Each structure stands twice: as structure tokens, then as C-alpha cells.
Amino acid sequence: MDELPVIECCTPLAGSSLSEETAIDLERVMKALADRHRLRIVNLLLRAGGEPVCVCEVQPLLGLSQGTVSYHLKQLLDAGVIEREARGTYGYFSLVPGALDSVRGVFSAPARSALAVDPEVTPAACC
């Protein structure tokens, strides 16, 4: 019986560009963002254009109790996504500059490799 040749049909993986430490940091941020209420808080802060937003403005927009809003804000604070500034008895929240850049970077496609790719050739179906 003859041996069949091995056919390389898949693009070789370049490997991960994330170190273990970076992946752990990103996991913490993504866990904090993986909640609909926290996503809405981040969106609200993004729409504020960098201006701090009082907690008293967040609660009515979300329709949640004060305790629930405080819980979600704490999760985002602990993950380093937002920062808190005390003004009297009120807390004002804003996004940490660049806090979402690392998340964005995970999902951005790298530049095409230096390998020549012929646009006229359709890649073979893999496995």
C-alpha cells in the first residue's frame, strides 16, 4: 500500500500576539463589560465625550436601583475601565483614557503578512 502525500491546505497559524499577562488583564476587562447594564454605562460615558457623569444621572437612565447601579459601577472601576471623582457627596464617573484600546486591539485584524497572495487563486477548501 502506497503512502499518500501530506497536503498543506490550511494557512499556517501565526500564533497569538497576546502574552499570558495581557490575556489575564483583558479577561478582567471583558468580564466587566460582559453585562448589558455595564455596556450601557460605558456607552453613556462614551457619549458624554470625556466629561464626568454624576451617578445621579446614570440611575434614571438605566432604570435600576441605586444599589444595583453602584454595584455595576464598582465592577467597571475594579476592572480599570472607569474612574471616579468625588465632588462633595456625589461621585462623577468617566472612562479611563485608552481603557478600551486593548479590547479593540484584540479584534482588529493584523496587517497582511509579507507572503505573496495571488488574488486570482481561490484557496482550496480546508478539512
Side-chain angles (χ1 to χ4, degrees):
M1 183 186 242
D2 294 330
E3 269 190 49
L4 297 174
V6 175
I7 299 173
E8 304 269 341
C9 65
C10 299
T11 303
L13 293 176
S16 177
S17 63
L18 294 176
S19 69
E20 182 70 17
E21 183 178 308
T22 302
I24 290 169
D25 291 341
L26 282 167
E27 177 183 33
R28 184 174 40 91
V29 171
M30 289 183 176
K31 279 184 178 181
L33 294 173
D35 179 274
R36 67 181 181 273
H37 301 301
R38 288 179 232 147
L39 284 172
R40 291 183 68 205
I41 291 169
V42 169
N43 182 257
L44 178 134
L45 296 176
L46 278 168
R47 294 179 57 85
E51 293 297 317
V53 176
C54 180
V55 68
C56 65
E57 296 177 69
V58 175
Q59 185 180 347
L61 290 172
L62 296 178
L64 300 172
S65 70
Q66 182 273 327
T68 302
V69 171
S70 292
Y71 168 78
H72 288 301
L73 289 169
K74 179 153 178 25
Q75 298 302 308
L76 292 168
L77 273 166
D78 290 347
V81 175
I82 65 173
E83 54 194 4
R84 182 184 189 276
E85 174 188 344
R87 295 184 189 173
T89 58
Y90 290 98
Y92 285 75
F93 296 87
S94 57
L95 289 173
V96 170
L100 301 177
D101 291 348
S102 59
V103 175
R104 184 181 304 114
V106 170
F107 298 107
S108 62
R112 295 287 281 184
S113 68
L115 296 175
V117 177
D118 185 350
E120 300 294 321
V121 176
T122 305
C126 185
C127 310

